[in-house]
Amino acid sequence: MGLLKEVAKPIMAGFGITRRRIGQEKVTISYPEQRREQFPRTRWRHVLTRYESGLERCIGCSLCAGACPARCIYVEAAENTDEARFSPGERYAVRYEINMIRCIFCGFCQEACPTGAIVLRNDFELANYKREDFIYTKEMLLQPMPARS
Amino acid sequence: MPKRVETVTLHDSGTPVLGDVQKGGGVILTSVDTLISQARANSLWPLTFGLACCAIEMMATATARFDLARFGSEAFRATPRQADVMIIAGRVSKKMAPVMRQIYDQMPEPKWVISMGACASTGGVYNNYAIVQGADQIVPVDVYVPGCPPSPDALIYAVMKLQEKIKRGRNPQNWKELKMFGNSPEQQEQVVA
């Protein structure tokens, strides 16, 4: 009698929890195959956007670098000429580098940008082996040219 | 951007990656090296080494929703003697640095380190006298994870990158390099000095 009460009953109670849970939906997201939906304002990897004409939005003003609390953005500007025009303004960014490993993805650069050039999108797969690989250059950050229609 | 393309076939067991165990009918042919690296890659036991807010995300990675157990890493060990991978989750203060080095030295070979988050990897916003500017000044880091903090998915991605590295990496060629019996006394003295 004691055996039944002390051993069998708790075991059955434990299986009872299993039975109740068995019909429920699985909560696990099997990540590499299946991704969870990101929130609309998720801030991950930066992208330097373009206008629809293909010109870069970035005018090389370095306001993003000034706003960055981690000091991880480096901007070097140069003058636009009529022969080589990259952005609609007077200047454009020759070099635009973000130290992605020091960045804290606060989005201050996005807020500071007067032209909306730098935006944080939702690509979070950034882990890598060497820290040199985390210096993202302008070529890596820049949006590809829009398709000509 | 070409950086991301290589990661697509990471966990697709149908496509053989270099270092994967090849399937052929009912017979499996492999070298002991690849077998060992497969075993190592698929049972990475992390060390419970949460230093700051990143530790919350590290704990969340082990929960049912993200389930790090799918990669064989569910057993967070509280002792370095039983751990394979150290996930440095959070900023490393100058005061913590010698402790971290000691814990790393106490882990048995082979061992790996994941530096989780901006603070552990570079110091992040804490560019000041109290924080070590990068855990790789103290211990060798295998995988860096950006983010503040990295989401559980990003950490799982880093674990997958580490598994890929272990599967592909150069395997020890003789029993001495396997280091199954811990460091020799000479090596340990070098570490102390």
Side-chain angles (χ1 to χ4, degrees):
Chain A
M1 203 60 197
L3 189 77
L4 188 75
K5 197 180 166 191
E6 309 257 315
V7 178
K9 248 182 103 176
I11 288 175
M12 291 321 288
F15 277 128
I17 294 173
T18 312
R19 202 197 65 232
R20 279 202 300 278
R21 290 278 185 274
I22 210 159
Q24 287 181 4
E25 205 186 340
K26 279 181 194 157
V27 290
T28 308
I29 306 157
S30 43
Y31 154 62
E33 295 86 28
Q34 170 192 2
R35 277 135 204 274
R36 75 183 157 132
E37 197 190 333
Q38 303 268 359
F39 289 103
R41 284 167 66 192
T42 305
R43 300 187 304 267
W44 278 108
R45 189 191 189 281
H46 309 66
V47 175
L48 277 172
T49 51
R50 291 178 189 270
Y51 289 107
E52 293 192 359
S53 60
L55 285 175
E56 295 161 15
R57 279 175 194 261
C58 181
I59 50 168
C61 66
S62 298
L63 278 176
C64 46
C68 181
R71 293 277 178 273
C72 66
I73 305 181
Y74 175 76
V75 187
E76 200 178 297
E79 298 281 329
N80 272 317
T81 54
D82 283 333
E83 292 82 56
R85 177 156 289 279
F86 293 90
S87 71
E90 277 178 29
R91 305 202 298 167
Y92 72 103
V94 193
R95 286 175 67 191
Y96 194 100
E97 285 169 8
I98 296 182
N99 187 352
M100 205 54 85
I101 206 170
R102 198 177 263 277
C103 172
I104 58 163
F105 302 95
C106 58
F108 283 8
C109 46
Q110 188 178 350
E111 279 178 35
C113 188
T115 57
I118 185 142
V119 290
L120 283 85
R121 297 268 165 83
N122 54 12
D123 175 20
F124 59 85
E125 292 176 330
L126 300 164
N128 218 329
Y129 304 119
K130 285 203 216 91
R131 57 188 307 161
E132 296 85 57
D133 296 343
F134 286 99
I135 310 289
Y136 279 48
T137 54
K138 189 185 169 192
E139 289 72 40
M140 294 153 81
L141 294 166
L142 204 60
Q143 210 176 27
M145 283 291 268
R148 299 244 166 246
S149 54
Chain B
M1 280 123 240
K3 280 223 87 131
R4 298 187 47 228
V5 179
E6 57 168 319
T7 60
V8 177
T9 55
L10 257 185
H11 268 264
D12 181 8
S13 52
T15 43
V17 190
L18 183 66
D20 253 354
V21 181
Q22 302 278 320
K23 288 185 201 122
V27 187
I28 298 169
L29 284 177
T30 177
S31 63
V32 179
D33 282 352
T34 41
L35 198 66
I36 286 176
S37 57
Q38 283 283 325
R40 279 174 178 166
N42 289 309
S43 72
L44 284 172
W45 287 11
L47 177 69
T48 313
F49 199 61
L51 294 173
C53 28
C54 278
I56 308 295
E57 297 292 304
M58 187 175 73
M59 285 183 263
T61 314
T63 55
R65 188 163 155 82
F66 301 100
D67 204 9
L68 199 59
R70 293 180 290 127
F71 303 93
S73 305
E74 74 276 26
F76 274 83
R77 290 287 129 168
T79 162
R81 305 279 182 207
Q82 297 169 357
D84 300 311
V85 54
M86 183 155 116
I87 301 177
I88 306 167
R91 77 282 178 282
V92 184
S93 59
K94 289 255 163 80
K95 210 170 179 178
M96 195 66 193
V99 183
M100 188 170 88
R101 181 72 220 192
Q102 193 175 16
I103 287 174
Y104 177 77
D105 288 338
Q106 284 172 348
M107 281 162 65
E109 293 271 0
K111 51 193 170 186
W112 297 275
V113 176
I114 293 176
S115 172
M116 181 183 178
C119 304
S121 307
T122 61
V125 280
Y126 304 112
N127 192 355
N128 60 25
Y129 64 90
I131 303 296
V132 176
Q133 298 296 304
D136 48 4
Q137 296 180 10
I138 315 291
V139 292
V141 175
D142 291 292
V143 180
Y144 300 89
V145 198
C148 187
S151 64
D153 321 47
L155 183 61
I156 287 175
Y157 179 73
V159 171
M160 277 156 51
K161 285 283 257 193
L162 182 61
Q163 285 184 332
E164 195 189 16
K165 179 178 184 172
I166 295 166
K167 281 176 192 170
R168 280 201 307 208
R170 198 188 72 88
N171 290 303
Q173 295 303 307
N174 57 34
W175 67 271
K176 268 184 190 163
E177 279 185 61
L178 273 174
K179 291 183 185 166
M180 287 172 128
F181 309 104
N183 289 342
S184 63
E186 304 91 68
Q187 278 175 319
Q188 278 190 344
E189 279 195 13
Q190 281 174 0
V191 164
V192 170

